[in-house]
Amino acid sequence: MDAVRVALLREVLAGTEWLQATRRFAGSLRAAVGPREGGLLLVGSESYEPWHLAAHLDDEAAWSGLPELSPTLVRHRVPEGSAVPAHLAVGLGRLEGAGRGETLLVVAPDDPGAGLLERVNDARRGGATVLALDGGDTELHTLAHDALSAPEGGELGLDTLQHLVSAAAGENSLPRPGRRRFQDRLARLAEHLAAPPPTHW
């Protein structure tokens, strides 16, 4: 989903609680990652790997000049062999070393599983900030410092929620002097194109 579609989606959702909720959660994410690059760990459930969110956060990190938004994707299953790129070879063992100054973002549309919850609990006890985007799992919510849910059958699906959060995470930064981000220009263009024509008397 590109910036124009995100802008149009926001227009559709205007007046609902979702825009405020996703911006609030994105603000929590930005505050948690701080200035440290490489401190954002992203993990899904055993049956769901959040590839798209990893890619979108990577894009936001580049567009907004905030490298700390670029996540490390933590995987339940890492293929064996030297042909696996380093950024795709980070397994669940990485969560054992998570601690103060790091942020763990858990994305789980389904049951995260006892094994993952145990590792998330260990990371939290080690000092990591835990955030959750999920389908409403109560156990995960008790471990998270902040959580946002898209329950099954609700107004928004988790994929849409991830797009809104990643876009808002980049926008929560202050623009660099004399430079407007490309995404901001696209969003303004979309708003202009979607606006009703002016009325002439």
Side-chain angles (χ1 to χ4, degrees), residues 82-164:
S82 58
V84 181
H87 70 285
L88 298 179
V90 180
L92 288 176
R94 174 65 179 85
L95 300 184
E96 295 171 9
R100 193 168 306 281
E102 294 183 301
T103 302
L104 175 58
L105 176 55
V106 183
V107 182
D110 50 10
D111 180 9
L116 178 59
L117 288 172
E118 185 177 337
R119 291 172 189 266
V120 170
N121 186 43
D122 289 344
R124 178 175 171 132
R125 286 193 313 193
T129 299
V130 176
L131 304 175
L133 282 170
D134 60 24
D137 186 86
T138 54
E139 288 186 81
L140 181 56
H141 278 220
T142 61
L143 296 175
H145 293 91
D146 196 358
L148 186 58
S149 295
E152 189 175 347
E155 292 177 304
L156 290 187
L158 192 62
D159 284 343
T160 302
L161 210 58
Q162 291 176 68
H163 285 293
L164 291 170

Side-chain angles (χ1 to χ4, degrees), residues 4-147:
V4 173
R5 289 178 180 166
V6 169
L8 293 174
L9 176 60
R10 285 175 172 164
E11 185 175 324
V12 170
L13 295 173
T16 71
E17 64 181 15
W18 289 111
L19 290 186
Q20 183 178 357
T22 52
R23 285 188 168 128
R24 177 199 55 74
F25 186 85
S28 294
L29 174 60
R30 279 290 314 285
V33 295
R36 177 181 172 180
E37 185 175 354
L40 176 58
L41 305 175
L42 177 62
V43 66
S45 64
E46 189 170 354
S47 62
Y48 181 84
E49 204 160 53
W51 289 97
H52 280 96
L53 182 57
H56 285 300
L57 285 172
D58 225 22
D59 288 343
E60 288 297 334
W63 291 335
S64 62
L66 297 166
E68 61 269 24
L69 283 178
S70 184
T72 297
L73 181 63
V74 178
R75 307 179 69 189
H76 285 258
R77 289 174 295 279
V78 177
E80 295 182 6
S82 58
V84 181
H87 70 285
L88 298 179
V90 180
L92 288 176
R94 174 65 179 85
L95 300 184
E96 295 171 9
R100 193 168 306 281
E102 294 183 301
T103 302
L104 175 58
L105 176 55
V106 183
V107 182
D110 50 10
D111 180 9
L116 178 59
L117 288 172
E118 185 177 337
R119 291 172 189 266
V120 170
N121 186 43
D122 289 344
R124 178 175 171 132
R125 286 193 313 193
T129 299
V130 176
L131 304 175
L133 282 170
D134 60 24
D137 186 86
T138 54
E139 288 186 81
L140 181 56
H141 278 220
T142 61
L143 296 175
H145 293 91
D146 196 358

